[in-house]
Amino acid sequence: QVQLVESGGGLVQAGGSLRLSCAASGRTFSTYSMGWFRQDPGKERDFVAAISWGGGATYYADFVKERFTISRDNAKNTVWLQMNSLKPEDTAVYYCAAAKRFGSRSTYDYLYWGQGTQVTVSS
């Protein structure tokens, strides 16, 4: 089992940057593909980015390409989401999640979830 805790959210002006972190517990972190999702109140949880077990492959939603970067360090049991050129429409609660399958955009493929961290981008 994997427990995930996100941090790094906050309030930022449009055009600014934030770096989200997701710390994982357990010795099996490196066996999971990791993903980031985001959710507005009353809306579905949307896929943002994913990274493979060793970090050699990444996959992004079209709306964050060239602005967001996902990375991981298995020695530190941590995955990050670097978010640049933030827009007001990026405002959401951001969740990290762990899956056995790489690159899935479906929440159903992710087995473990963090509690989320709020990102608010002001115009």
Side-chain angles (χ1 to χ4, degrees), residues 26-105:
R27 293 177 289 179
T28 61
F29 176 71
S30 63
T31 68
Y32 290 91
S33 167
M34 298 298 296
W36 285 94
F37 287 75
R38 68 187 190 185
Q39 187 171 24
D40 286 331
K43 296 185 179 180
E44 292 185 351
R45 194 166 293 188
D46 293 329
F47 170 79
V48 175
I51 189 166
S52 61
W53 309 269
T58 56
Y59 177 52
Y60 296 93
D62 287 343
F63 58 80
V64 301
K65 282 181 179 178
E66 309 298 333
R67 299 191 300 126
F68 292 8
T69 302
I70 188 172
S71 60
R72 70 187 294 167
D73 185 337
N74 287 341
K76 296 181 179 179
N77 277 16
T78 302
V79 61
W80 295 277
L81 184 68
Q82 177 68 42
M83 305 186 296
N84 298 328
S85 302
L86 283 162
K87 305 174 182 179
E89 51 263 42
D90 294 319
T91 295
V93 177
Y94 283 72
Y95 298 88
C96 71
K100 283 297 187 180
R101 175 185 172 191
F102 167 63
S104 174
R105 305 168 70 98

